Amino acid sequence: MITKISRRHLISLLFIGCYLLFSGALTSCKEEIDESNLYTFTGETIEDYLTNRSERFSSFNYILTRIGYDKILSAYGTYTCFAPTNEAVQEYIDSLYDDPVNTDLIHNGMTARGLEGLTDSLCEDIALYHLLTTKVMGVNMGNGLTIKTMLGRDISTSIDPETGAVLISRASAVTSMDNELENGVLHEIDNVIRRSNMLIAGEMENHPDDYTLFSQALKLTGLADSLVNISRTDFDPVDNRRGFYLPDKCELGYTIFAETDAVLAKRGITSIEKLKAYADSVYGKCNNQETGWYDYARNNRIQISTGNDFKNPWNTLSMFVRYHILDYKLPYNKLVNSHNQVSKVTLVEYYETMLPYTMIKVTRNSNKLYLNRWIANNSLTDMVAELGSQAMHTVLWEGVEIKGQNGQIASFNGYIHAINDMLAYEDRVPHGALNERIRIDDASIFGEMMSNSFRRIGDSEVNAMNGGKTGTDGDLSGSYIRIPPGFFRDLIIYNGDDTRLYYLSGQSSGWSNYQGDEFNCKGHYDFAMRLPPVPDGTYELRIGYTAEGNEQRGMLQFYLGTSSDLSTMRALDIPLDMRHVPANNSNLEPDVITGWCDWQRLDDKGVESDANMRNLGYMRGPLYYTVGVNSGNYARNNPKDLRRIIAKQEFKQGEYWLRFKSVLDADHHQFHLDYIEFCPENVYNNTRYAEDMY
C-alpha cells in the first residue's frame, strides 16, 4: 500500500536500537576509539561540545535531550551534527508559531511559544534533520552534496555566490566548519535547516513569484492532485538471514523541471491561455502519420486533444507538463554522476519522463547542466581511439540549461529545478539529442534507486543503515543492499528467494564498473526488467559486465518480450557464460570465444580486432571510464570488461522487457550487470564515420 507518512515508526525503532546499542557499550566504546583519523583531538564528544558551549547551543541541546539523543551523541560512533545557535532556534520556533500559511495545523502543532511549546514529534523532526550517521567534512560540502539525514530526508549543500559560505539547503550558512570530535564532526550554522512539509505541487504553489503559470498548469491537468506519493511498503517480505541491509519501505517522489514565469514571459507567454497555445503548437501534430515524431503516439494512433479537456493525458497541455516530470526524486547534484570517467568525455545521463515512453537527456558541459543538448555525430568519430575532431561535433542545439543548485527547491516528496528555456518533446529530441549511443548505468534504470538515495551511496552509509554490519551470501560479502522482490516497479522476479538481488555502489572500491556500481544476483535467478524506451529504429542492444573466473560468475540465457508475461518472450542467441575471462596472450592470439586481445599492442589500435569481436557478438569495454578511480587503466584495456551484443533488431518506442535466467544448477553463481547500451544503426553501421571507442 502507498502511504503519505510512514517514517515515525521507523525513527522510533532507530532510536530504541541505537539507544540500547550505545548505552550498553558506552565505556568499552570510549576505550576503543581510533584517534589516528582525527585531524585535531579535543577530548569532546558532540554532546560535550554543545554542553560546554551552552551560551550558544543550549536550545538545540534541549531539543536533543527531549528525544534522548543527548545520550547517543555522548557515545562512540560516527556522526555529523549541524548545530544551530540559540538565536537561530528561537527565530525558527517563532516562525513555526506565527506561520500564516499552515492554517490546517494551528501554530504547526506547537502548544505555546518557546522551546517548551515544541511537541516531542517536532523535536524529533528538528533533531534528526540536523544529524547524519556518517562524517561529512567541509571540503566535500563545498563541491555540492545531497546527504540523507537521520530523519530519512535529504539535505543539499551549495556555495553562496556572494559570500562564498557553504550553505545547507540554500538558507543555513556554515559559520564554523570541521570541528572534529571523538564521535564525529560538528558544523555550526546560523539558521535551523528548514524542511518543507508540503508535497511538490503545494511547494511550487508556495512560490508564486516564480511559478504561477506552471503551478496553474499542474492544477488544470490534475497532476497537482496525483503527485502525492511518499512511500510504499507493499513489496514481498524477505528472509534476511544473510545479514545485508534490507529496506523496509520504498520512498517515492518526483522531480519537476519548470520554466519560471520570467522565462515564459521572454517567449511572450504571460497567461495560461498562451501556454496552452504553445503546447498546441508543439504537440498538436506530433502523432501525424507522415510527419509526426512522437513514435509511440503515432504507432498507436492516439488521438491528441487541443481542447479544454486538460485532465485528458493526451491533451497537449497535459503532455507539455508531463514531459517536465520524472516520477522519482533527483536533486541537482545527482542529475549527472561521475566516478571513474576520464576527464575528456562529456558526462551524460538519460531519464524516463511521465510523458509515456519518452526520455530526457542531461548533459554536463563546462560545469553547467543542459536538457536535451544536441551535438552532431555524437558517438561517432573520424579518428582512431579518439573522440574525433571538433569540426564533426558541432553543437546543433545548446539545450535547456538547468539553473543550478541555488535554483533548486526541495519539497517533502521531491525537487523542483528552474530551467532557462522552453522544454518539450519536439522533433529535435528523438531525431537529434537521443539519436546516439545511449549508455545507461544499471542504477539509473530504476527510479526507486534515486528516490531512496541508493544510487552511488557510500559504503559507510550502507553500513550505518545496517547497524554496522555487513552481509554474506557465499563469496558475496560487503556493503551490499538487498533488493526485495517488488521493490522495483519495473523489475519482476519469477521465483522468489531463488533470485537474490543485490546492489553495490562500489564508491570505495576499485571495481572496473561504469560509475563504480553494479547489480549482482545469487541463486537460480530468473527475473526480468523493463528496458528504457527509445525512439523507433534499428538498434544493437548491449549489456556491459565484468567476467570473473573460478566459478564466481554464472551462465545465463537472455529473453526479450513486449511485457513481463513469459509468453511474450523469445530467447536471444546462445547463453552467455560470464565465467569466461578472455585470455591475454603475449603473442596477441585472439581469445577463441570473445576475440579479445591487447589492442594497445596492435598497429591499428584494435580496429580490425574490434570487428572480429563484433562478429562473435562481443565488444571491449569502453575508453569512457577506468578500472577504479584515476588509475589510468581504461576499461577497454581490461580483458574482464566486456560488452555482449544480445540483440540487433527494430525497436518501437514502447514496452520491452529483458529476462535473465540462469542455466546452471548450482546456487552460488553470480549474475552481474553494470550498464546497458542502445546503439542505433546509423552509429554502429555508419558509412562515413566509425563508432567511437568511448
Side-chain angles (χ1 to χ4, degrees):
M1 137 177 126
I2 293 175
T3 59
K4 288 190 178 180
I5 298 178
S6 58
R7 70 183 191 277
R8 189 72 58 209
H9 180 61
L10 176 65
I11 294 170
S12 299
L13 290 176
L14 174 65
F15 167 69
I16 292 169
C18 289
Y19 180 78
L20 291 173
L21 174 65
F22 290 121
S23 62
L26 184 59
T27 304
S28 61
C29 283
K30 288 213 176 220
E31 293 173 351
E32 296 171 1
I33 289 174
D34 178 9
E35 298 176 15
S36 63
N37 64 349
L38 301 180
Y39 291 96
T40 55
F41 180 72
T42 67
E44 294 179 307
T45 65
I46 291 174
E47 174 59 23
D48 291 335
Y49 187 97
L50 298 172
T51 301
N52 294 340
R53 296 158 183 79
S54 60
E55 74 282 359
R56 298 212 308 277
F57 300 111
S58 59
S59 295
F60 183 61
N61 205 23
Y62 168 88
I63 293 171
L64 292 170
T65 303
R66 280 274 298 272
I67 63 168
Y69 261 71
D70 57 328
K71 298 178 179 63
I72 289 178
L73 296 180
S74 296
Y76 180 55
T78 305
Y79 303 98
T80 298
C81 174
F82 296 99
T85 62
N86 291 339
E87 294 77 14
V89 172
Q90 185 61 52
E91 180 183 351
Y92 179 70
I93 61 178
D94 284 346
S95 71
L96 290 180
Y97 194 81
D98 298 330
D99 182 9
V101 176
N102 190 6
T103 56
D104 293 334
L105 186 61
I106 303 300
H107 303 311
N108 284 284
M110 292 183 63
T111 59
R113 186 184 296 277
L115 284 169
E116 291 75 12
L118 291 170
T119 63
D120 289 345
S121 173
L122 273 170
C123 287
E124 188 175 69
D125 282 1
I126 295 169
L128 298 185
Y129 201 49
H130 288 72
L131 298 174
L132 315 176
T133 56
T134 55
K135 188 159 75 171
V136 175
M137 305 303 293
V139 65
N140 305 116
M141 293 190 294
N143 295 325
L145 284 178
T146 297
I147 323 158
K148 186 180 286 293
T149 67
M150 290 180 72
L151 186 60
R153 295 176 59 182
D154 291 341
I155 55 175
S156 297
T157 70
S158 59
I159 297 294
D160 188 321
E162 295 182 0
T163 67
V166 172
L167 298 178
I168 311 299
S169 295
R170 301 176 67 193
S172 301
V174 177
T175 56
S176 177
M177 188 178 290
D178 292 349
N179 298 286
E180 293 216 55
L181 305 165
E182 282 194 51
N183 57 351
V185 62
L186 181 144
H187 308 286
E188 298 181 10
I189 56 176
D190 66 353
N191 281 293
V192 170
I193 304 173
R194 306 237 170 187
R195 68 202 181 285
S196 171
N197 287 324
M198 292 185 176
L199 301 180
I200 194 165
E203 187 62 50
M204 177 175 279
E205 187 179 12
N206 199 36
H207 289 75
D209 293 341
D210 293 322
Y211 294 113
T212 299
L213 287 181
F214 203 100
S215 181
Q216 191 175 351
L218 275 179
K219 288 182 179 179
L220 284 174
T221 57
L223 289 165
D225 297 327
S226 65
L227 305 180
V228 297
N229 293 332
I230 292 173
S231 66
R232 48 181 280 265
T233 57
D234 59 342
F235 44 87
D236 297 341
V238 169
D239 176 5
N240 197 30
R241 64 184 181 275
R242 297 172 181 87
F244 294 97
Y245 172 70
L246 180 70
D248 59 5
K249 73 169 182 177
C250 179
E251 294 186 14
L252 305 172
Y254 308 91
T255 303
I256 301 178
F257 303 103
E259 297 91 347
T260 63
D261 291 342
V263 168
L264 294 172
K266 288 181 180 179
R267 288 293 195 102
I269 301 172
T270 55
S271 66
I272 197 67
E273 291 76 20
K274 291 182 178 179
L275 182 58
K276 169 70 168 58
Y278 174 82
D280 288 347
S281 69
V282 174
Y283 292 103
K285 296 181 180 180
C286 67
N287 63 339
N288 185 279
Q289 292 300 305
E290 286 75 34
T291 60
W293 60 92
Y294 186 4
D295 302 323
Y296 177 75
R298 188 186 69 249
N299 295 339
N300 292 279
R301 299 187 177 275
I302 291 172
Q303 184 66 41
I304 305 297
S305 170
T306 57
N308 293 329
D309 54 339
F310 300 123
K311 293 185 179 181
N312 174 358
W314 296 107
N315 178 278
T316 55
L317 184 62
S318 179
M319 294 171 69
F320 171 81
V321 174
R322 286 172 189 273
Y323 190 64
H324 289 67
I325 306 175
L326 315 178
D327 64 348
Y328 38 90
K329 296 184 288 188
L330 265 173
Y332 180 83
N333 55 26
K334 290 187 178 181
L335 285 168
V336 173
N337 289 277
S338 64
H339 175 69
N340 51 355
Q341 285 73 45
V342 298
S343 59
K344 67 172 66 176
V345 299
T346 300
L347 299 180
V348 178
E349 303 277 1
Y350 306 89
Y351 300 110
E352 189 170 355
T353 80
M354 289 185 66
L355 182 63
Y357 303 109
T358 63
M359 287 201 298
I360 203 166
K361 172 184 170 184
V362 186
T363 301
R364 177 182 292 168
N365 183 64
S366 300
N367 293 320
K368 293 183 179 180
L369 300 186
Y370 296 87
L371 300 174
N372 294 335
R373 184 177 174 85
W374 179 14
I375 299 175
N377 300 309
N378 217 18
S379 313
L380 292 166
T381 183
D382 57 359
M383 303 168 70
V384 178
E386 292 293 341
L387 287 167
S389 63
Q390 187 174 355
M392 68 171 292
H393 289 146
T394 57
V395 177
L396 299 179
W397 186 45
E398 286 285 349
V400 177
E401 183 183 345
I402 308 172
K403 288 192 174 180
Q405 185 87 3
N406 291 325
Q408 170 181 285
I409 298 173
S411 74
F412 187 51
N413 67 338
Y415 295 95
I416 301 163
H417 300 293
I419 56 178
N420 75 342
D421 203 350
M422 304 301 294
L423 175 65
Y425 189 72
E426 49 196 329
D427 180 82
R428 60 185 167 187
V429 176
H431 295 155
L434 297 178
N435 187 21
E436 60 188 19
R437 179 187 56 229
I438 296 174
R439 179 180 296 140
I440 302 181
D441 181 63
D442 50 11
S444 66
I445 294 172
F446 305 106
E448 293 88 351
M449 292 295 295
M450 276 75 80
S451 289
N452 289 272
S453 301
F454 288 167
R455 186 183 182 193
R456 298 193 61 222
I457 190 172
D459 291 348
S460 59
E461 293 178 80
V462 177
N463 290 339
M465 293 189 301
N466 203 27
K469 304 188 301 295
T470 57
T472 301
D473 188 349
D475 58 0
L476 197 71
S477 64
S479 303
Y480 288 79
I481 297 173
R482 173 75 189 273
I483 306 296
F487 189 84
F488 293 150
R489 175 191 60 190
D490 290 330
L491 185 144
I492 184 168
I493 291 173
Y494 296 110
N495 58 352
D497 199 51
D498 281 343
T499 297
R500 302 186 296 278
L501 181 63
Y502 299 101
Y503 174 74
L504 176 69
S505 73
Q507 303 309 292
S508 302
S509 68
W511 299 122
S512 183
N513 290 328
Y514 175 51
Q515 298 188 4
D517 59 356
E518 65 184 36
F519 277 111
N520 287 93
C521 247
K522 293 297 290 277
H524 301 287
Y525 53 84
D526 188 2
F527 68 99
M529 68 179 188
R530 187 172 72 87
L531 293 172
V534 291
D536 280 10
T538 298
Y539 294 85
E540 282 186 348
L541 173 62
R542 311 161 178 169
I543 72 157
Y545 72 100
T546 54
E548 290 289 351
N550 300 319
E551 295 293 306
Q552 182 173 335
R553 295 281 192 252
M555 188 173 182
L556 71 151
Q557 178 67 56
F558 296 103
Y559 301 80
L560 186 67
T562 54
S563 78
S564 59
D565 188 331
L566 294 177
S567 66
T568 72
M569 295 189 173
R570 62 180 178 85
L572 299 173
D573 202 11
I574 61 174
L576 169 63
D577 191 348
M578 290 185 168
R579 300 169 298 178
H580 178 74
V581 177
N584 191 2
N585 299 307
S586 59
N587 60 3
L588 295 180
E589 182 180 346
D591 178 70
V592 293
I593 292 178
T594 66
W596 194 96
C597 63
D598 187 355
W599 71 281
Q600 300 170 94
R601 298 170 56 204
L602 300 172
D603 292 339
D604 67 351
K605 297 185 179 181
V607 172
E608 183 178 353
S609 175
D610 284 347
N612 292 335
M613 286 187 68
R614 287 181 54 82
N615 290 334
L616 294 170
Y618 288 89
M619 296 176 67
R620 291 178 170 85
L623 287 171
Y624 190 91
Y625 64 93
T626 58
V627 180
V629 180
N630 298 324
S631 69
N633 183 24
Y634 301 110
R636 180 174 168 83
N637 306 350
N638 184 11
K640 293 184 177 182
D641 265 291
L642 295 167
R643 284 175 280 182
R644 174 67 177 265
I645 303 168
I646 58 177
K648 185 184 296 183
Q649 66 171 62
E650 181 183 19
F651 284 85
K652 296 289 188 181
Q653 187 176 29
E655 192 99 350
Y656 288 94
W657 286 72
L658 185 63
R659 179 188 179 195
F660 311 86
K661 186 178 189 303
S662 174
V663 298
L664 299 177
D665 293 332
D667 179 76
H668 66 273
H669 295 291
Q670 292 181 17
F671 163 80
H672 173 271
L673 177 64
D674 189 7
Y675 58 90
I676 68 165
E677 290 181 353
F678 276 99
C679 188
E681 186 176 27
N682 67 298
V683 172
Y684 72 77
N685 195 28
N686 194 280
T687 57
R688 181 178 180 185
Y689 301 117
E691 180 182 353
D692 67 48
M693 295 178 181
Y694 288 81

